[in-house]
Amino acid sequence: MAFPLPRGITPSEIAFLAEMETVTIVPRQRLEGLELLGGPVEPLVPPRRASLPLWLALLLKRQRRANIIPPSWLHPDPLGLILEVESQHQDYKNSFSPPPPLPGQPSINSFGKEANPRAQYTPDGDRYYAAPPFLPQNTAHGGDFTKETPALPFHWVEVGNMLLDAASDDLVEPDQIRRLLKDLREVRMSKMRSGVDVLDAAATVGGGVALTGVGAMELGEERGFVAGVVDNLRKIGASKEQARREQLADQRANGQYSATQDEEEDYMEF
């Protein structure tokens, strides 16, 4: 009997996708350029910085051929500020800190001016905007963290854990970063689990749970919990509807049914 796979993407698959994130390295020896499926990799010349996929950067780090420069958000000060905003700021009591701008949305550059995202083109000339994990959100110069509140990229959990495991000597105060990531993850998970309380009301009056700013691993880990809550709420709603219909049928049989109730039932069915 085959083992049933869980619904949706698994955490290991999410981590595999996160390995395509681009990071910044400082090579320690010369290496020739590579032709990868994701595009060509420029030749590595020390001490000139280069941007590589995370999986390749980790491979070179394990071989002691390069050092990884942590992204701008993976430092104690930005993480501490995000944790403070998530846990104490009233505006984000039931929501999450704002994510980096999506492709196609304007952002504010370091000069205080609005900067439109740069379009990319396919070999056929079609224009497109890159999306995670193909955005420079985890490079040393990626993202604008000069604003008051820094932003967490879509794969912040995966990238942070991978760099802590394989390149902790390249990070500033790795023990403090590990603690901040753990605290930040617990705070955000608590928000996600408390946010499902509104699903009961959303099932009757419409709406949903705002998950703007939630990362890929957070969504993958909470998918089963939220899906289970929704399924149970659907069953409860179906039993309530069945009980209401049985009550209306009894009222019809006893002659206690009014035209107003007919209109209400038609509205509910609509």
Side-chain angles (χ1 to χ4, degrees):
M1 178 176 166
F3 184 78
L5 294 175
R7 290 186 299 177
I9 189 170
T10 62
S12 58
E13 292 171 336
I14 297 174
F16 176 77
L17 294 177
E19 292 181 355
M20 292 302 297
E21 287 280 350
T22 304
V23 295
T24 304
I25 71 164
V26 176
R28 302 177 65 177
Q29 60 180 267
R30 290 177 175 268
L31 294 173
E32 298 295 331
L34 298 174
E35 291 291 338
L36 303 178
L37 292 177
V41 175
E42 58 183 302
L44 305 182
V45 180
R48 189 176 65 187
R49 295 184 178 186
S51 296
L52 298 178
L54 178 59
W55 67 268
L56 182 56
L58 294 177
L59 177 62
L60 295 178
K61 174 63 180 179
R62 294 188 181 99
Q63 295 176 351
R64 299 182 180 180
R65 294 185 177 185
N67 293 98
I68 300 177
I69 301 178
S72 303
W73 60 269
L74 196 59
H75 288 78
D77 290 341
L79 289 176
L81 180 57
I82 296 175
L83 179 59
E84 181 181 354
V85 169
E86 293 274 3
S87 57
Q88 301 180 12
H89 204 287
Q90 292 297 326
D91 293 342
Y92 301 105
K93 184 176 181 181
N94 297 317
S95 60
F96 303 90
S97 57
L102 295 175
Q105 291 182 345
S107 60
I108 305 300
N109 59 21
S110 57
F111 299 100
K113 298 180 180 180
E114 188 175 282
N116 292 321
R118 180 178 300 178
Q120 300 183 24
Y121 295 88
T122 65
D124 297 332
D126 297 329
R127 185 176 63 176
Y128 72 96
Y129 292 96
F134 304 104
L135 288 175
Q137 296 179 346
N138 290 290
T139 56
H141 50 76
D144 180 18
F145 300 101
T146 59
K147 57 184 180 179
E148 182 180 355
T149 303
L152 290 174
F154 190 57
H155 290 286
W156 68 276
V157 176
E158 307 91 286
V159 173
N161 288 333
M162 290 181 188
L163 292 183
L164 281 172
D165 292 340
S168 60
D169 56 325
D170 291 335
L171 303 181
V172 179
E173 300 181 12
D175 293 336
Q176 185 177 359
I177 289 177
R178 184 177 286 104
R179 179 183 59 81
L180 289 172
L181 288 178
K182 179 176 178 297
D183 294 343
L184 187 58
R185 195 172 182 182
E186 291 177 353
V187 169
R188 291 166 66 92
M189 283 295 181
S190 176
K191 287 184 181 181
M192 290 188 66
R193 291 182 179 270
S194 61
V196 299
D197 294 340
V198 304
L199 288 177
D200 194 8
T204 57
V205 301
V209 180
L211 297 178
T212 304
V214 179
M217 186 62 72
E218 295 170 300
L219 290 174
E221 291 179 344
E222 291 297 311
R223 184 189 300 272
F225 173 75
V226 175
V229 172
V230 172
D231 289 340
N232 290 330
L233 290 176
R234 187 180 295 113
K235 294 177 182 179
I236 294 174
S239 62
K240 289 182 179 179
E241 178 64 18
Q242 182 63 27
R244 188 186 69 87
R245 291 182 179 274
E246 292 176 356
Q247 182 181 5
L248 292 177
D250 292 340
Q251 291 178 357
R252 286 195 190 98
N254 297 330
Q256 301 175 355
Y257 197 78
S258 63
T260 304
Q261 290 173 315
D262 266 334
E263 296 175 357
E264 291 179 354
E265 184 177 5
D266 292 340
Y267 174 76
M268 292 296 294
E269 291 177 354
F270 173 76

